[in-house]
Amino acid sequence: MIRNFYNCDKETDKNSHGGVGSIDIYRAFRRKDFTGAWDFALRVVMPPGSSMGEHTHSNDEEMYIILKGEGTMTIEGETRKVTAGDMIVNKPFGTHGLVNTSSSEIELLIIQASLK
């Protein structure tokens, strides 16, 4: 199966996880597309000043892959700058959030898998 993440279904999420502003989510793959542990693969576009609020997952892992832009990522209370090329693993039962602190969009891929 091949899908282009630039040409897939788009939804707008306002105040994502209690964050600020709206972000665009492009759902390339959903749980029903997989037979393994994968939950989804999405492309997210975050305008300047927007954020995904800090939130905690249950028994799943996420990987954020920053394609362009830069911002501030908080993982388990520790805040760090992230930029294009960074790959971030959000561990099961972990807390994380992302803020676009720049004057340009952040574009990232988010891939999630659930533990058995």
Side-chain angles (χ1 to χ4, degrees):
M1 178 181 330
I2 297 173
R3 294 203 180 129
N4 185 304
F5 64 70
Y6 289 113
N7 301 320
C8 52
D9 295 340
K10 172 187 162 184
E11 26 182 280
T12 300
D13 189 4
K14 294 180 181 178
N15 307 107
S16 179
H17 298 290
V20 174
S22 296
I23 63 173
D24 291 330
I25 299 171
Y26 299 83
R27 294 196 178 275
F29 292 102
R30 301 168 192 263
R31 181 73 186 106
K32 66 182 181 180
D33 298 316
F34 301 106
T35 55
W38 302 105
D39 293 321
F40 58 74
L42 13 128
R43 176 177 154 251
V44 174
V45 178
M46 300 177 63
S50 66
S51 66
M52 283 187 269
E54 286 187 54
H55 59 283
T56 303
H57 284 255
S58 58
N59 65 335
D60 52 55
E61 285 185 301
E62 275 185 326
M63 179 176 288
Y64 284 23
I65 303 167
I66 311 293
L67 300 174
K68 71 177 187 177
E70 59 185 46
T72 302
M73 184 93 195
T74 301
I75 303 173
E76 304 302 328
E78 181 182 336
T79 302
R80 296 188 56 185
K81 181 179 177 181
V82 292
T83 190
D86 287 343
M87 298 173 71
I88 302 103
V89 174
N90 298 308
K91 297 286 187 182
F93 304 100
T95 301
H96 58 276
L98 177 62
V99 179
N100 185 343
T101 54
S102 74
S103 59
S104 301
E105 290 182 338
I106 290 177
E107 183 177 342
L108 67 150
L109 294 178
I110 302 177
I111 302 166
Q112 179 176 293
S114 291
L115 303 175
K116 303 264 179 184

